[in-house]
Amino acid sequence: MTEHLPALVFLVPLATAICMPVAGHGRKSICKPLALLAVAAMTVLSVASLWAIVSHGEVRYSFSGWEPPIGIEWLADPLAAIMLVGVSALGVLCLLYGAAIDDRTHDKHPIPYYTIVLLLIAGLTGAVYAGDLFNIFVFLEVVSLSAYALVAVPGGRALVSAFRYLLMGTLGTAFYLLGVGYFYAATGALNIADLAQQVPALLGSKAVMGGLIFMFIGLAIKMALMPLHGWLPDAYSDGPAAAVPLLAGLVTKVALLLWVRILFWVIGAGEAQQASGIFTLVSSLGILASVGAACIALRQQDLKRMFAYGGISHVGLVLIGLGQANQTGLTGAVYYLLNDAVMQCALFMLAGFIAQRYGVRSLDDAGRASIRNPLVIGTFVVVALGMVGLPPTGGFFGKLRILLGTIEAGNYLAAGAVVVTTLVTLGYFAQVLERLVRREGDAVPEPDSGHTPWALHASMVALAAAMLGLGIWNDPIVKALIDATGGLAI
Amino acid sequence: MPEFLDAALSRPNLVAFVVLLLWGLYITITHHNLVKKLIGLYLVQTSVIFFLVTTGAKEGATVPVILDGMGPVTADAYVNPLPQVLTLTAIVVQIATLGVSLGLVSRIYRKFGSLDEDQILAKLE
């Protein structure tokens, strides 16, 4: 039974998504609990799968018994298992939040809305598990198509943002597929394990290097790496409040995880690989993105756009960690990626909640409103600590390892970029926090619009608790990541 | 330079791929009509699919269907079937993308009454 867990984790949301139109026909109220139930069941299964993988080692799952290289293989290693616990748990919290928030655009058509959300989660699961480059392409496209549709849900401005996202994203997947084609032409293999044996010897080949660059461009668009981030701020600030936490927390982070897979599981980080310059490229682009996006975030008036740029700058930080090509940097980057998923999710939940309840959308609004809700302020303080990277949140330990990795590699420019990004991040969060808590003479009294649904508070507090938990129990998670990456050539 | 030209002319299929890809990108970037942008995007995707098919092609080879199934199979007589299988999946993905994008464009048209990027942006202000 346990050997089929990876397939079950994927099939639960997919099967529910397919059954949703039939189950919801005529009784639309069933859609919401059904979706929540499916993702909750998926969370239980993914925790069980993580348990099985930690105790029995990684699973290579071959569909219908066809062994690779003929069959399709899924790679269920500790990295994928940890990421999936994050994906499914965040999925549950985002669905709870989305069901409770007063942004009712999706309530008129719950069947397509929840079908798309479940397809998104199933696609993310497939992308994390996929053991060959072409399957990664297919699942990436499933995720992207669902994301375009979700961004467009509110109509109006969001339609144009979604169209822009679609143009950029489709070019991204086309470039990624082109890179896969180059790899196939050069090696005749698509499976990650097969490629890992052939590619390191072929790094001098223009086809392999070109393919790698094309895949990087494609994934860079998906992860919103700084010069290619144009779609993200619009899509996330115009998208529906109910679904944006899910998109912000998971879609870009899974694209980053796929790049980690290709960079370390296919290419490897030995001497020859470092000489090829790909790690220098990743590290330099990371420096540019982290400092550049943090500075743009400092200048934003709109809260959602500020948080979106904060997320873009954190993508740069993760790439800095990866680009050092040592284990400290890699584990720090992956750990930070997990934390960043939680933080982005929490930030967009808070932004959506205060926009809907208090009408706070920009910095000026934040100065005028008086928010006395201790849970909201408390969650915001914890998330801000995490984004800046202060203990005891998980953000601190991830950033610390990234910084140690840069020093280990002797790359002091990158170390400086991490420090500068931290200071600028502190700058824009201090700005928001100061305006949120400052009591002004002409403060508008807190609107008394009934009680807040418990699910809203529960989902935000759970994320704040998760960030503290990731910080307090960082030791076992980082150790598991070190074990997971121990077999790599670093 | 002649060396480069020789290399290009000996592989006309790859030249066709590059021309299609750049043409598609050019249309996507320069045209202001949303549907024309989609046509450019479709051209980019098609060029990538064309590239995949062309990696499996061989001179003098035939479709990869083994008819008698008896004698030994000579790999040189058949084109590589795997890129063609990948292509099928990629075409399905392309059609799905096209469906979603046309759906979006039709909603944009109903909302803003125009397909021109400049007019839509002017209405957004």
Side-chain angles (χ1 to χ4, degrees):
Chain A
M1 183 61 194
T2 49
E3 75 268 19
H4 292 298
L5 274 175
L8 283 175
V9 172
F10 169 71
L11 284 176
V12 167
L14 183 73
T16 317
I18 293 169
C19 297
M20 187 68 82
V22 181
H25 185 76
R27 17 171 224 276
K28 287 180 175 173
S29 55
I30 203 177
C31 294
K32 205 183 285 179
L34 190 63
L36 204 55
L37 191 71
V39 185
M42 183 191 158
T43 312
V44 173
L45 287 173
S46 60
V47 170
S49 154
L50 175 65
W51 182 256
I53 288 166
V54 167
S55 44
H56 303 298
E58 68 175 41
V59 178
R60 288 176 178 268
Y61 190 84
S62 311
F63 272 89
S64 13
W66 288 89
E67 297 294 327
I70 293 171
I72 291 169
E73 186 188 53
W74 274 14
L75 182 59
D77 64 350
L79 180 69
I82 291 173
M83 192 66 197
L84 272 179
V85 172
V87 167
S88 48
L90 287 180
V92 170
L93 292 177
C94 289
L95 278 174
L96 261 182
Y97 171 87
I101 191 148
D102 226 6
D103 173 51
R104 297 295 173 185
T105 38
H106 63 275
D107 260 11
K108 274 182 275 175
H109 307 285
I111 297 175
Y113 178 79
Y114 286 105
T115 307
I116 294 171
V117 168
L118 287 174
L119 275 180
L120 179 86
I121 292 174
L124 290 168
T125 313
V128 171
Y129 272 144
D132 73 78
L133 296 183
F134 191 75
N135 271 299
I136 288 178
F137 160 75
V138 173
F139 287 117
L140 204 58
E141 199 58 287
V142 171
V143 170
S144 307
L145 286 175
S146 321
Y148 309 145
L150 281 181
V151 168
V153 163
R157 291 185 74 88
L159 293 172
V160 182
S161 303
F163 187 77
R164 208 174 282 162
Y165 182 14
L166 185 142
L167 279 185
M168 291 287 284
T170 309
L171 282 179
T173 36
F175 280 133
Y176 177 81
L177 182 61
L178 186 58
V180 174
Y182 274 48
F183 265 44
Y184 181 73
T187 63
L190 289 168
N191 188 297
I192 285 180
D194 288 348
L195 281 168
Q197 293 183 344
Q198 298 194 37
V199 168
L202 289 171
L203 278 178
S205 141
K206 281 179 197 153
V208 167
M209 224 39 206
L212 192 59
I213 298 291
F214 273 125
M215 282 199 264
F216 185 39
I217 296 174
L219 289 175
I221 292 177
K222 295 287 176 195
M223 67 176 90
L225 181 59
M226 175 73 168
L228 303 170
H229 67 281
W231 57 268
L232 188 140
D234 282 339
Y236 288 180
S237 55
D238 297 339
V244 165
L246 194 64
L247 299 174
L250 297 176
V251 175
T252 50
K253 303 300 169 282
V254 165
L256 251 176
L257 187 83
L258 295 177
W259 181 236
V260 176
R261 268 266 192 260
I262 293 170
L263 206 52
F264 286 88
W265 268 258
V266 176
I267 309 295
E271 295 283 322
Q273 288 89 335
Q274 290 184 37
S276 72
I278 185 75
F279 285 94
T280 319
L281 177 74
V282 169
S283 170
S284 319
L285 286 173
I287 292 170
L288 187 76
S290 59
V291 177
C295 292
I296 299 176
L298 195 58
R299 294 190 52 224
Q300 295 301 314
Q301 279 296 313
D302 186 282
L303 286 181
K304 280 189 180 177
R305 293 184 76 87
M306 176 190 281
F307 297 157
Y309 278 109
I312 296 169
S313 93
H314 282 196
V315 169
L317 281 180
V318 172
L319 285 188
I320 289 179
L322 298 179
Q324 305 315 317
N326 54 33
Q327 204 186 26
T328 319
L330 169 63
T331 48
V334 175
Y335 187 61
Y336 200 68
L337 196 159
L338 265 177
N339 279 292
D340 200 30
V342 179
M343 291 191 287
Q344 284 289 304
C345 211
L347 274 180
F348 279 96
M349 277 189 186
L350 279 168
F353 177 69
I354 60 176
Q356 173 245 319
R357 170 55 59 93
Y358 303 98
V360 174
R361 288 188 173 77
S362 67
L363 272 180
D364 291 341
D365 294 346
R368 275 194 295 276
S370 69
I371 301 176
R372 292 284 166 274
N373 189 332
L375 289 175
V376 172
I377 299 287
T379 309
F380 187 81
V381 169
V382 173
V383 181
L385 286 179
M387 288 289 282
V388 176
L390 293 173
T393 57
F396 168 74
F397 297 97
K399 211 177 246 179
L400 181 70
R401 285 189 76 82
I402 293 177
L403 198 59
L404 289 176
T406 58
I407 292 168
E408 198 178 297
N411 191 342
Y412 295 106
L413 182 65
V418 175
V419 175
V420 170
T421 310
T422 305
L423 292 177
V424 179
T425 311
L426 179 65
Y428 60 80
F429 272 101
Q431 221 179 352
V432 181
L433 200 60
E434 193 254 354
R435 286 179 204 219
L436 274 182
V437 297
R438 187 174 53 189
R439 197 183 288 269
E440 273 183 7
D442 58 342
V444 188
E446 181 157 355
D448 184 36
S449 54
H451 75 293
T452 312
W454 63 270
L456 281 180
H457 281 150
S459 51
M460 289 190 285
V461 170
L463 284 179
M467 291 180 53
L468 293 173
L470 277 170
I472 293 165
W473 287 286
N474 74 86
D475 206 42
I477 304 174
V478 171
K479 280 210 177 97
L481 286 175
I482 290 175
D483 287 345
T485 54
L488 301 172
I490 299 179
Chain B
M1 199 60 183
E3 212 176 296
F4 165 76
L5 274 181
D6 269 355
L9 288 177
S10 63
R11 298 179 184 83
N13 49 350
L14 295 187
V15 175
F17 151 68
V18 171
V19 169
L20 277 176
L21 178 76
L22 294 179
W23 198 354
L25 276 177
Y26 178 78
I27 295 175
T28 311
I29 293 167
T30 55
H31 278 272
H32 290 266
N33 187 306
L34 298 187
V35 174
K36 285 186 184 162
K37 276 182 188 294
L38 287 185
I39 293 173
L41 203 61
Y42 196 76
L43 211 52
V44 170
Q45 290 177 305
T46 310
S47 74
V48 174
I49 287 171
F50 175 74
F51 171 78
L52 280 180
V53 174
T54 199
T55 57
K58 291 174 196 156
E59 204 155 326
T62 179
V63 276
V65 178
I66 299 170
L67 286 179
D68 53 359
M70 286 303 185
V73 178
T74 45
D76 278 346
Y78 302 101
V79 298
N80 185 351
L82 194 101
Q84 303 192 353
V85 177
L86 300 186
T87 302
L88 275 182
T89 314
I91 290 172
V92 172
V93 167
Q94 186 186 17
I95 291 170
T97 315
L98 195 68
V100 172
S101 51
L102 285 177
L104 263 180
V105 166
S106 80
R107 271 196 73 186
I108 288 177
Y109 185 74
R110 268 182 273 160
K111 173 85 188 168
F112 296 97
S114 166
L115 282 177
D116 189 89
E117 199 182 22
D118 298 330
Q119 286 179 16
I120 294 169
L121 288 179
K123 280 189 186 169
L124 274 182
E125 293 306 316

